[in-house]
C-alpha cells in the first residue's frame, strides 16, 4: 500500500533538460543533434586499459571513423583510445560497455558547431595527444529523410 499512497520520486539531473529550455525546438525545423562521426566504439576493460598504461582510468577504443566527418577531419582513426574529453577524464561506469553511451550522452549535451578536445592515445607506447574537432549535425536517418517518387521504377 505504501507504493500507492507514496509514489516513488524520480530524480532527473537539470543538465539533461536545461538545453531544451534554452534552445527550444521550432516547428518545421528538425532538431539538430551534435555528432562527430564515430559509429562504433567500445569501452576498454581493466586488463586492456592497463596494457595501454591506463591504470584505474576509463577509456574508449574507436572502432570505426566515417569518412568526411569531424572525426576523420581531425585525424582520428580506428584503434585510437579516447581518455579525456575537454580535459576531463571520462566518467567511471559500472561496466566498460557503458562507456560509449556515457560519451554519447555527454556529446548530446553540447551544441552543433561547438569545439571538443579529445585526449587520445594513438597506439600503445605512444604519448597522449589532444585532438580538437567541431561537432556537426547528425545526418537524418532513413526514416526521416525526404522521399522521392521514381516515375520509371514506379515507387
Amino acid at each position: 500500500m505504501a507504493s500507492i499512497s507514496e509514489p516513488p520520486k524520480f530524480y532527473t539531473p537539470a543538465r539533461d533538460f536545461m538545453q531544451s529550455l534554452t534552445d527550444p525546438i521550432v516547428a518545421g525545423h528538425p532538431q539538430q543533434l551534435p555528432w562527430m562521426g564515430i559509429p562504433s566504439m567500445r569501452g576498454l576493460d581493466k586488463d586492456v586499459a592497463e596494457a595501454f598504461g591506463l591504470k584505474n582510468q576509463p577509456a574508449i577504443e574507436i572502432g570505426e571513423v566515417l569518412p568526411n566527418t569531424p572525426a576523420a577531419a581531425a585525424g582520428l582513426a580506428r584503434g585510437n583510445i579516447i581518455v579525456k574529453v575537454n580535459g576531463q577524464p571520462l566518467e567511471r561506469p559500472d561496466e566498460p560497455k557503458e562507456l560509449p553511451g556515457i560519451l554519447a550522452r555527454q556529446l548530446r549535451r553540447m551544441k552543433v558547431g561547438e569545439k571538443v578536445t579529445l585526449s587520445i592515445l594513438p597506439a600503445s607506447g605512444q604519448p597522449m595527444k589532444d585532438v580538437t574537432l567541431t561537432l556537426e549535425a547528425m545526418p537524418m536517418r532513413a526514416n526521416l529523410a525526404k522521399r522521392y517518387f521514381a516515375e520509371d521504377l514506379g515507387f
Side-chain angles (χ1 to χ4, degrees):
M1 285 306 269
S3 64
I4 295 172
S5 63
E6 297 176 25
K9 296 177 178 97
F10 294 101
Y11 173 73
T12 303
R15 67 176 184 232
D16 287 350
F17 64 86
M18 287 303 288
Q19 182 177 355
S20 64
L21 295 176
T22 59
D23 190 16
I25 299 172
V26 179
H29 298 282
Q31 182 181 16
Q32 291 189 332
L33 298 173
W35 184 63
M36 60 180 175
I38 302 175
S40 172
M41 297 182 280
R42 74 177 182 97
L44 295 183
D45 61 9
K46 181 181 170 185
D47 297 332
V48 176
E50 285 180 3
F52 281 97
L54 302 169
K55 190 168 180 134
N56 294 326
Q57 191 170 2
I60 297 174
E61 181 179 13
I62 296 174
E64 180 183 5
V65 177
L66 297 177
N68 303 319
T69 61
L76 294 175
R78 165 180 248 151
N80 289 160
I81 308 295
I82 300 172
V83 181
K84 295 180 182 180
V85 177
N86 291 333
Q88 299 296 320
L90 299 171
E91 293 179 35
R92 185 171 300 284
D94 293 332
E95 295 288 327
K97 65 182 177 183
E98 297 171 352
L99 274 166
I102 291 171
L103 176 61
R105 226 177 4 261
Q106 189 175 3
L107 291 175
R108 254 185 262 124
R109 292 182 190 125
M110 298 177 181
K111 294 185 178 196
V112 173
E114 207 171 317
K115 291 195 180 293
V116 177
T117 302
L118 302 173
S119 298
I120 63 163
L121 285 172
S124 183
Q126 291 188 359
M128 195 178 311
K129 69 177 186 176
D130 288 343
V131 174
T132 303
L133 57 93
T134 304
L135 297 173
E136 290 182 359
M138 182 182 290
M140 286 189 180
R141 297 188 185 256
N143 62 336
L144 297 176
K146 290 185 178 180
R147 309 263 188 237
Y148 298 98
F149 184 79
E151 295 283 339
D152 56 336
L153 299 175
F155 61 86

